[in-house]
Amino acid sequence: MARRRAPGLPAAGAGLVSGPHWYVEATRRCLTARFGGPVHLDPPEVDWDRRAVCRATLPDGRRAVVKVDTDGVRHHRERTGLLAAADAGAPVPLVLWHGHDGFHFLVLEEVPTTRSLVDEDAPWRVAGAAVRALHDTPVPPGTAMFCDGVGEWEQHVDHRVAVECAAAVERGLLDQAESDAVRRYALRTLAAAGPAPRALVHGDLQARHLLVHGDRVVLVDFGDVGWGDPVMDLVVLTHFHPWRRDEVLDGYGADGALRERVELLAPLYSLWRNLFVSRWYFENEFEQRRNSETARRVLETEVLPAERTPPVRLECDAVLVDFDGLLIDTEYAGWRSWNELYGRYGRRLDTATWAARCGGDDPLSPWDELEGFAGAPLDREAMEQARRVVRDGMLTVLPGVRRFLDHCATSGFTLCLVSNSPMKWVRRQMDALGLDADAFDLIVTSGEHPPKPAPDGYLIALDELGVAASRAIAFEDSARGVSAAKAAGLRCVAVPNRITVHNDFSHADLVVGGLDEVALVSTSEVPR
């Protein structure tokens, strides 16, 4: 990869990490003491993000790869993953020594080859078997999800895709319509794929991270190891070499079900990976063209064609919308903020349990359960304040919302918001996320009506607007919200989000993946 500038190092006085080759003296001193003689360090191959990698000659003449890190969590993750993989018989470098002396050190036996899987005539089938050995490794206790995820894999992927789409829009790689399409595609694909098997995954399984030594393929560079969907590794390994995927799957011993899962998820995982790497390269001033071009190719050939379905045409004069979970991603942000608290005690909050409570007046508040996990009273006030900060930091406007609201405003529809939340919450989040409250002809919030599934909020809205239920359509993200709208005599379109997708929407008139999948037409424009 071409680099536009050398990475900067922390300024002097920023602790141990300062100046060029900040690690050299401490590393030489530590390893000399550990291996009983002078250790020669080669120039660094990596000197970035408070870590360094170089090759070394040990006193007995053996060649080694030395990894020096200031991040103990990252060091522990890589060390634990490597040792577990080695114990399970996966082809990984031998750990010669690991320890802490000012810095965290990981000394690996050098794989004596410069040949990798990207070279001509590389044994891709053998590589598939090597990856299978890694994925068959029991996940070590305490291993974090890949990319620091929490909760369930599917929700984590959907969240990370949303983050990468927002960043891609900001730097002009995607436009907003494309971002919305990707997010809808992610939700549908993950739902179709079903729960992911839990495996120890490499996390950065580029072809150059598989070294060819004789008749062996050795997996190296475990800095992103964690648990996750093994399909992700298989996709990342082959997304620049898709014609090699069948060879890899043959060597992996993939059955028909796994091959179908790879085919289904490959566009999503490839797009996620390339958007992530492109953003990282962009932020750190590396050349990101290859990943950006690959992301565009996957988008244009795989994702957008799957999303190009004609919008559903609906006739009405008034549009009544919910707020939380329909316009902004409240349910996921709330679930994840609670799940981070559960994670402190090695537990997980099930999304189906959370989804069953969404849209009602009894949101889950599991303090008693958390205190049972802790075995002692908790400082609820302080923890709740911190949880809300986490939640609010994850709130985003859902795909298609802005364009839908703009269309309602410019096309002359009467627009009303009917929410179980208080007005203070609605106004604050609208201001924070750039939604115009003045675009609504009426906002009906909690305190003015019994909460959904009672129909009162919708009945109040219809009365104040002077609109007959037959000439209005409600949009809801939860089963409770749909029940409220139907009880008020309204047609209702369900737009499930990544949490409420678990709800039963059989009583809705229509279920769509996003607000922009609907084409609204005023009844006054319909020929009679």
Side-chain angles (χ1 to χ4, degrees), residues 108-142:
L108 309 174
E109 184 177 58
E110 182 185 63
V111 180
T113 182
T114 58
R115 189 177 177 217
S116 76
L117 209 60
V118 299
D119 294 335
E120 189 175 356
D121 298 325
W124 287 81
R125 188 184 297 264
V126 177
V131 177
R132 179 60 179 264
L134 171 65
H135 292 166
D136 285 344
T137 300
V139 178

Side-chain angles (χ1 to χ4, degrees), residues 152 335 342 348-358 364 369 499 502:
E152 298 174 7
W335 168 80
Y342 271 61
R348 181 176 61 86
L349 176 59
D350 179 65
T351 51
T353 301
W354 182 260
R357 308 291 287 275
C358 290
L364 188 62
E369 191 172 34
I499 298 295
H502 295 281

Side-chain angles (χ1 to χ4, degrees), residues 142-157:
T143 298
M145 189 192 298
F146 166 72
C147 203
D148 299 320
V150 298
E152 298 174 7
W153 173 257
E154 291 74 28
Q155 278 71 36
H156 171 57
V157 174

Side-chain angles (χ1 to χ4, degrees), residues 247-321:
E247 289 179 69
V248 170
L249 293 175
D250 288 344
Y252 191 90
D255 59 15
L258 178 59
R259 290 173 187 270
E260 289 179 4
R261 185 174 174 84
V262 170
E263 183 177 359
L264 175 63
L265 288 166
L268 175 62
Y269 284 168
S270 181
L271 185 58
W272 172 27
R273 165 75 185 184
N274 281 286
L275 288 176
F276 163 72
V277 175
S278 174
R279 173 180 59 81
W280 192 92
Y281 283 172
F282 176 82
E283 291 173 350
N284 293 285
E285 299 190 13
F286 288 87
E287 173 58 60
Q288 78 274 6
R289 184 175 62 185
R290 185 187 192 194
N291 294 96
S292 297
E293 289 177 348
T294 302
R296 290 296 315 177
R297 176 181 57 78
V298 173
L299 175 74
E300 292 168 5
T301 63
E302 303 275 1
V303 175
L304 293 181
E307 292 298 302
R308 286 179 183 141
T309 56
V312 180
R313 186 175 183 271
L314 297 174
E315 300 171 8
C316 66
D317 285 335
V319 178
L320 292 81
V321 297

